[in-house]
Amino acid sequence: QVQLVESGGGLVQPGGSLRLSCAASGSIFSINAMGWYRQAPGKQREVVATISSGGYTNYADSVKDRFTISRDNAKSTVYLQMNSLKPEDTAVYFCNADGYSDYMPYVEFWGQGTQVTVSS
């Protein structure tokens, strides 16, 4: 069992910044990659950024050069620094982690989601 707890969402002006945090707890599964996804009303959930256990990152084109994903493996925490925010970034942001155990080669965990609203 792994639980992901997100924090840092809120309301921000266009051009402003927010930093999201997601901490993983539990010891049954080992965590591999982590990432951030978002979903706006009427739209599919989309990947925002991912980071491997070794620190390799990738980003959606829409957030490249504005968002930065990072992780602290000692704290089992992933962060998303969001700069130059646009109204189009408004969505519920979800933390994601994939894990494995001796008996399950791949499982996914999701946080509850945190609302990010960029005012227009």
Side-chain angles (χ1 to χ4, degrees):
Q1 177 71 31
V2 173
Q3 183 176 358
L4 305 179
V5 180
E6 300 135 321
S7 63
L11 176 65
V12 66
Q13 294 275 2
S17 298
L18 285 173
R19 187 169 78 161
L20 306 182
S21 300
C22 172
S25 62
S27 61
I28 295 176
F29 291 93
S30 298
I31 301 299
N32 192 3
M34 302 186 76
W36 290 95
Y37 293 69
R38 67 186 181 187
Q39 187 169 23
K43 296 184 178 180
Q44 293 276 66
R45 188 175 298 184
E46 64 177 354
V47 62
V48 176
T50 61
I51 184 167
S52 74
S53 61
Y56 293 98
T57 62
N58 60 73
Y59 299 89
D61 288 342
S62 60
V63 306
K64 188 177 178 63
D65 300 323
R66 299 189 297 119
F67 292 8
T68 302
I69 189 171
S70 61
R71 67 190 289 171
D72 184 339
N73 288 332
K75 298 180 179 179
S76 298
T77 300
V78 63
Y79 305 93
L80 185 68
Q81 178 67 46
M82 304 184 292
N83 298 325
S84 301
L85 282 161
K86 304 175 180 179
E88 294 87 345
D89 297 317
T90 297
V92 178
Y93 284 69
F94 297 90
C95 178
N96 167 267
D98 65 65
Y100 60 92
S101 72
D102 289 343
Y103 305 102
M104 298 290 179
Y106 182 86
V107 292
E108 291 186 348
F109 304 96
W110 293 91
Q112 292 283 89
T114 184
Q115 178 70 47
V116 172
T117 302
V118 184
S119 63
S120 59

